[in-house]
Amino acid sequence: MKQFRVLGSGCASCKQTMALIEQVAAQRGVAIGLEKIESLQQIVAYGVLSTPAVVLDGVVVHAGGIPAREQVEQWLA
């Protein structure tokens, strides 16, 4: 199971990013783990300077905005 973490303060873009990952996973029938990280210390520990950011299996794969649906689909492929 792929483990996603969305890093961010809880802004609208962070919420949209979480919803997008959930939607694509549900449409593809892929089981995922999804966690929201709002702690500034934890976000900085990943080296992320702009949010929302997406961490997949411990690796930052996106930062600085809502990822494209196609990008999320690639992560779940």
Side-chain angles (χ1 to χ4, degrees):
M1 179 181 343
K2 296 183 185 248
Q3 295 294 324
F4 286 90
R5 289 183 171 165
V6 176
L7 313 179
S9 63
C11 65
S13 293
C14 298
K15 292 174 185 169
Q16 285 181 299
T17 298
M18 289 202 53
L20 176 62
I21 293 169
E22 287 176 326
Q23 286 172 5
V24 173
Q27 288 171 350
R28 292 179 151 250
V30 177
I32 62 167
L34 183 59
E35 181 181 4
K36 178 73 169 73
I37 304 293
E38 295 184 6
S39 161
L40 189 56
Q41 284 182 328
Q42 287 181 284
I43 293 169
V44 171
Y46 280 102
V48 169
L49 300 176
S50 57
T51 60
V54 179
V55 176
L56 173 57
D57 295 333
V59 177
V60 177
V61 292
H62 181 82
I66 301 167
R69 174 176 284 276
E70 294 78 23
Q71 194 172 15
V72 176
E73 289 172 350
Q74 287 178 354
W75 296 335
L76 293 169

